Amino acid sequence: MQLVAIGLNHHTAPLAIRERLAFPAETLSAALAQLVESHAAREVTIVSTCNRTELYCATAQPEQVLRWLVGYHGMALDEVAPYLYQLDAAETARHAFRVASGLDSMVLGETQILGQIKDAVRNAERAGTMGSLLNGLFQKTFAVAKDVRSQTAVGASSVSMAAAGVKLAEQIFASVGELNVLFIGAGEMIELVATHFAARQPQKITVANRTLERGQRLAAEFGGNAITLSELPDQLQHYDVVVSSTASQLPIIGKGMVERAIKARRHRPMFMLDLAVPRDIEAEVGRMDDVYLYTVDDIASIVEVGQQARNQAAEEAETIINHRVVEFVDWLKRRESVPLIRALRDESERIRRHALDAALKQLSRGDAPEKVLEALSLQLTNKLMHPPTQALSTGSGAAHDAQVELIARLYRLHPEQ
């Protein structure tokens, strides 16, 4: 089994590709099970966020995992290949450590990704696709992320995507306090964005959600009200700011719906922020007059505040990660020795049982215990010493010299003394 990571992210692929390879939360467990059942991988964890889709696997056939990934999403390999990366064991560890520490994020130092990785691990545990190899990787990953957070300032002065949404709105409107704000969805990202907007005390906050009860719970936290998604066509015109982040596989807001809303608003501008992958708002909406549509890829320039200070901290974090990667690779090498250690113990146990059985038979015949113990010790010594003695008695040249040095080191012998 090899440890590999296969995926793409905001560095390697545009949103149009990332959204096609995303795994909706409600299908993730089935996808994990399907991949393992296909025998392409023995262990797998899938991290799927707005900025990345990554498969961490224990597999003997990485190319089969890759083919499963593109096949699962109904895509051709040549469509996706230019955007994908495939990492070996050491680079998989380095990548996981950097991602969890916020060093690979659009917002350098952001903390949300660590929670998303922990969610991915819990999903894999529930699906039964976590094993000892991935468990070792992610336990080390969480420890490294903790060290980076506690020993560096990589997260200091970080402007989150949620805060960036407010900054964008403030570039279009004079004051958020005069606006009606609509949030579509009721997940973690919407809660984060709503927290930042609520701090500016907008005139009205509304949460639109597929399930009204869940929307009402979130809206209550901010003194707002809730509606269902089916009410959007009639209600959209009342809102100056629309922020959407759902797990829908199809757009929730189309061009026609926005056209009607803008007409009813008499062409007063509307700010729309689509944080979903796949997108919740049709891309054509962004070409309309009086509509300012932004996606996750559009807000990168807003998150540059404090970048220089975080870059310095990131260098310190990379030093920590380099050291931890070496430790993890050493752990992998020790794991590779486990079958040999087990075989060595099994062979030693076979020799011990054989010698013990012979001794018990001698005792049952009435042989003197002293003679039996002497014979037992001699038999064990001869059996256990035969392989190294035979190795020292055969071979020549450099190979023989290497064997001599190895056996001396194993048995802590110093014949020259």
Side-chain angles (χ1 to χ4, degrees):
M1 289 291 111
Q2 306 173 49
L3 175 64
V4 301
I6 295 173
L8 77 178
N9 61 25
H10 60 287
H11 297 302
T12 69
L15 177 58
I17 296 295
R18 298 202 308 274
E19 65 185 356
R20 295 180 67 186
L21 285 177
F23 288 86
E26 65 270 17
T27 66
L28 195 54
S29 294
L32 288 163
Q34 185 185 121
L35 176 53
V36 171
E37 289 167 2
S38 74
H39 302 295
R42 181 179 295 176
E43 304 176 27
V44 61
T45 298
I46 298 176
V47 177
S48 185
T49 73
C50 59
N51 285 334
R52 69 186 67 249
T53 293
E54 295 175 342
L55 280 64
Y56 295 85
C57 302
T59 176
Q61 302 173 304
E63 68 283 353
Q64 293 301 319
V65 175
L66 178 56
R67 293 186 181 279
W68 177 89
L69 173 63
V70 296
Y72 180 89
H73 291 285
M75 301 180 70
L77 183 56
D78 57 0
E79 283 184 273
V80 186
Y83 307 104
L84 289 169
Y85 41 83
Q86 179 176 318
L87 309 176
D88 63 19
E91 287 307 308
T92 292
R94 183 183 307 280
H95 184 72
F97 298 169
R98 296 187 77 254
V99 171
S101 300
L103 299 183
D104 194 61
S105 298
M106 180 180 291
V107 183
L108 180 62
E110 61 95 4
T111 58
Q112 187 181 8
I113 185 60
L114 180 57
Q116 291 169 329
I117 294 175
K118 289 182 177 180
D119 287 341
V121 170
R122 282 191 287 268
N123 286 332
E125 288 172 341
R126 286 194 293 267
T129 63
M130 279 284 286
S132 60
L133 188 56
L134 288 186
N135 185 65
L137 169 67
F138 286 112
Q139 291 307 311
K140 188 71 170 178
T141 296
F142 300 148
V144 170
K146 182 179 179 181
D147 287 345
V148 168
R149 298 291 177 186
S150 62
Q151 297 177 31
T152 76
V154 74
S157 305
S158 176
V159 177
S160 69
M161 290 174 64
V166 177
K167 289 182 176 292
L168 278 172
E170 290 176 334
Q171 292 177 10
I172 298 167
F173 300 102
S175 171
V176 174
E178 300 173 357
L179 305 178
N180 293 337
V181 183
L182 173 65
F183 299 104
I184 303 175
E188 182 182 2
M189 179 58 77
I190 286 294
E191 185 174 359
L192 287 171
V193 180
T195 300
H196 285 274
F197 270 98
R200 300 295 202 278
Q201 298 181 326
Q203 278 193 352
K204 182 180 181 181
I205 289 179
T206 300
V207 176
N209 194 56
R210 197 175 307 278
T211 305
L212 183 60
E213 182 182 0
R214 186 175 178 186
Q216 289 172 330
R217 284 200 300 268
L218 180 58
E221 295 181 22
F222 305 104
N225 67 300
I227 62 175
T228 63
L229 296 183
S230 62
E231 297 177 73
L232 281 175
D234 296 326
Q235 296 294 320
L236 190 62
Q237 61 183 296
H238 301 300
Y239 296 94
D240 309 292
V241 173
V242 178
V243 182
S244 189
S245 180
T246 76
S248 175
Q249 291 303 288
L250 296 172
I252 292 173
I253 296 179
K255 183 181 178 183
M257 187 190 301
V258 180
E259 284 176 335
R260 291 190 294 273
I262 289 295
K263 185 177 180 180
R265 289 171 59 82
R266 299 184 179 182
H267 296 277
R268 282 183 292 119
M270 179 182 289
F271 168 75
M272 308 187 82
L273 179 59
D274 188 352
L275 297 175
V277 178
R279 285 173 280 195
D280 284 340
I281 303 172
E282 287 184 347
E284 291 77 10
V285 171
R287 294 194 284 270
M288 293 174 55
D289 293 336
D290 306 311
V291 176
Y292 299 86
L293 173 62
Y294 295 86
T295 67
V296 289
D297 285 358
D298 295 324
I299 62 175
S301 61
I302 307 298
V303 303
E304 294 299 316
V305 177
Q307 185 80 17
Q308 185 174 355
R310 294 199 306 279
N311 284 341
Q312 176 61 41
E315 293 180 10
E316 299 171 7
E318 295 286 6
T319 301
I320 294 173
I321 287 172
N322 289 339
H323 179 65
R324 298 296 189 271
V325 169
V326 172
E327 291 179 350
F328 182 77
V329 171
D330 287 344
W331 176 76
L332 284 179
K333 289 179 179 178
R334 291 195 298 273
R335 272 181 55 92
E336 293 173 359
S337 301
V338 168
L340 179 60
I341 293 171
R342 187 178 296 118
L344 184 61
R345 287 188 175 278
D346 289 346
E347 175 63 12
S348 298
E349 175 63 12
R350 186 191 65 79
I351 292 171
R352 186 191 73 82
R353 292 298 310 178
H354 185 268
L356 179 61
D357 289 343
L360 290 173
K361 288 178 182 178
Q362 291 170 352
L363 288 173
S364 67
R365 291 199 304 263
D367 292 357
E370 295 82 356
K371 289 183 60 178
V372 173
L373 287 174
E374 180 70 16
L376 174 64
S377 64
L378 285 173
Q379 185 176 0
L380 284 174
T381 299
N382 290 335
K383 287 286 187 181
L384 294 175
M385 290 304 299
H386 178 69
T389 302
Q390 186 179 41
L392 289 171
S393 301
T394 58
S396 61
H400 179 262
D401 293 343
Q403 282 186 333
V404 170
E405 182 179 348
L406 175 61
I407 291 171
R409 188 166 70 250
L410 285 175
Y411 287 92
R412 300 177 184 176
L413 303 176
H414 306 283
E416 69 281 359
Q417 298 178 358

